[in-house]
Amino acid sequence: MPGQHGMTERTPLWEVFVRARRGLSHTHVGSLHAPDAELALRNARDLYTRRQEGVSIWVVPASAITASSPDEKDAFFDPAADKVYRHPTFYEVPDGVAHL
Amino acid sequence: MFDFALALGDDALIAAQRLGEWTSRAPEMEEDIALANIALDQLGAARLLLTYAGELEGAGRDEDALAYLRGDREFRNCLLVELPNGDFAVTMAKLFFLAAYQLPLYTALSGCADERLAAIGAKARKESAYHLDHGSLWVKRLGDGTDESHRRMQDAVDQVWPYTHELFTADPAAPVDPATLRADFDAVVSAVLDEATLTRPADGWAPGGGRAGVHTEHLSYLLAEMQVLHRAHPGAKW
């Protein structure tokens, strides 16, 4: 009987990104287990878009994602703030530019 | 017309009850949710069909009276849906065959002359397409999987196959004659079984009787569990 032995061998982990109905980009909404990409998509539809909040789903094997290391946070995200020329703040954004 | 709506409603109701038995027992959490979703889809269709059947009958029976206050001899579901769940492969074989029948049925129904049935068919058709997709995916994966999953899936198909013939018994007086759905069913089933490296069983024994209220030994046990609360506390509300 399934479910009686506690630990079964888990299928691979997938990360799920959903683009909302009126959204512009895909947003990470969570993860799930599935044996392959096709079933991962179906499972994502059941788990994350039951209220029709999404129009497009991406699934990616969790093993394919490379994340930045928390230890390198300073070097990565805090460049020297005194070098103002590093920051794109010296021009006006024209009116009518969408989605910036 | 009453008999027809009742039969389809009973198919969906009993299928929902069987699928509901998987809740918290499926191989994985994701599949647990998928099976519960499909069960709720079937239950939704059952409610619409039984409500309409009650109106057609005109004897004051609503969906609850039809679901909870009939004995097994008064149920008109096909035998396929009342069979026990067995292992995951048997459940998937049952789901796949049921959906491969319900999809062309609801599709044809959505174009029938009866407005209510057409509306129910149009709504249920989308859900059936998803059920068929889900069942097909698993039949293919299990059939074309490991030696063990292939063996179990072939056993499941062999075990359930005889019960599919009942679905297509001719009924020219019905809004949709089930006999006209057979070609569609066969085409879908053959394609999936081929891809799953499974052998389509030979046609032989064809048990029937569900549409006339003559059921397997499994239905009365299922009903005893499904109806116990309503029979003990008639009209109970949550």
Side-chain angles (χ1 to χ4, degrees):
Chain A
M1 266 304 286
Q4 285 194 342
H5 303 298
M7 286 303 291
T8 50
E9 199 179 321
R10 298 304 308 266
T11 48
L13 183 69
W14 301 77
E15 299 299 334
V16 182
F17 301 80
V18 172
R19 184 163 66 79
R21 181 182 294 271
R22 282 184 292 278
L24 293 162
S25 55
H26 287 71
T27 307
H28 181 246
V29 292
S31 55
L32 53 82
H33 288 270
D36 56 45
E38 208 174 1
L39 272 164
L41 267 185
R42 301 317 193 271
N43 289 342
R45 173 259 191 199
D46 281 344
L47 285 163
Y48 295 112
T49 68
R50 282 300 277 184
R51 294 177 203 84
Q52 283 143 30
E53 57 271 75
V55 291
S56 165
I57 303 174
W58 289 345
V59 290
V60 184
S63 58
I65 293 176
T66 308
S68 59
S69 156
D71 303 339
E72 296 167 1
K73 204 165 59 171
D74 290 350
F76 240 72
F77 302 112
D78 269 341
D82 58 340
K83 300 188 177 72
V84 290
Y85 50 82
R86 284 175 168 270
H87 304 289
T89 54
F90 292 95
Y91 55 88
E92 297 284 320
V93 179
D95 288 341
V97 172
H99 312 317
L100 195 65
Chain B
M1 188 73 96
F2 164 72
D3 289 335
F4 181 80
L6 191 68
L8 299 198
D10 285 349
D11 283 353
L13 177 65
I14 302 303
Q17 183 70 12
R18 276 286 183 235
L19 285 164
E21 293 170 10
W22 274 100
T23 303
S24 83
R25 293 187 173 86
E28 288 202 317
M29 181 192 76
E30 289 80 0
E31 188 57 28
D32 209 275
I33 303 233
L35 290 176
N37 272 329
I38 295 170
L40 289 170
D41 285 346
Q42 293 282 358
L43 189 64
R47 292 186 60 185
L48 294 169
L49 287 160
L50 292 180
T51 298
Y52 188 40
E55 289 173 27
L56 288 167
E57 186 189 33
R61 290 203 285 183
D62 64 2
E63 54 177 330
D64 285 343
L66 286 170
Y68 295 120
L69 296 176
R70 282 183 297 154
D72 63 319
R73 296 301 296 265
E74 297 165 279
F75 270 79
R76 294 289 175 265
N77 57 279
C78 58
L79 303 182
L80 171 73
V81 294
E82 72 196 43
L83 299 175
N85 284 331
D87 63 9
F88 189 67
V90 171
T91 291
M92 283 303 136
K94 284 172 58 188
L95 175 65
F96 171 55
F97 292 142
L98 178 68
Y101 149 77
Q102 282 180 329
L103 179 57
L105 172 64
Y106 288 139
T107 303
L109 205 60
S110 65
C112 83
D114 184 290
E115 262 182 42
R116 276 284 286 282
L117 283 177
I120 294 170
K123 180 180 185 300
R125 187 169 54 111
K126 290 184 229 163
E127 294 166 351
S128 283
Y130 173 72
H131 304 168
L132 182 59
D133 177 71
H134 194 84
S136 310
L137 280 175
W138 275 114
V139 169
K140 289 179 205 167
R141 271 163 187 69
L142 296 170
D144 196 16
T146 64
D147 288 348
E148 174 68 0
S149 74
H150 176 88
R151 182 186 67 78
R152 282 179 181 251
M153 196 67 238
Q154 184 68 60
D155 282 354
V157 168
D158 293 348
Q159 188 185 321
V160 173
W161 184 253
Y163 295 91
T164 58
H165 304 302
E166 182 191 19
L167 300 169
F168 306 102
T169 307
D171 182 5
V176 173
D177 182 352
T180 60
L181 308 170
R182 181 90 216 203
D184 209 325
F185 174 88
D186 282 341
V188 168
V189 165
S190 297
V192 171
L193 292 182
D194 282 351
E195 200 177 334
T197 69
L198 296 165
T199 309
R200 177 178 159 156
D203 295 342
W205 183 52
R211 299 286 184 231
V214 183
H215 292 278
T216 66
E217 67 273 28
H218 307 296
L219 183 64
S220 47
Y221 289 106
L222 179 148
L223 293 178
E225 185 171 25
M226 186 177 93
Q227 297 176 338
V228 62
L229 187 81
H230 197 82
R231 289 183 182 274
H233 306 279
K237 292 261 185 287
W238 292 106

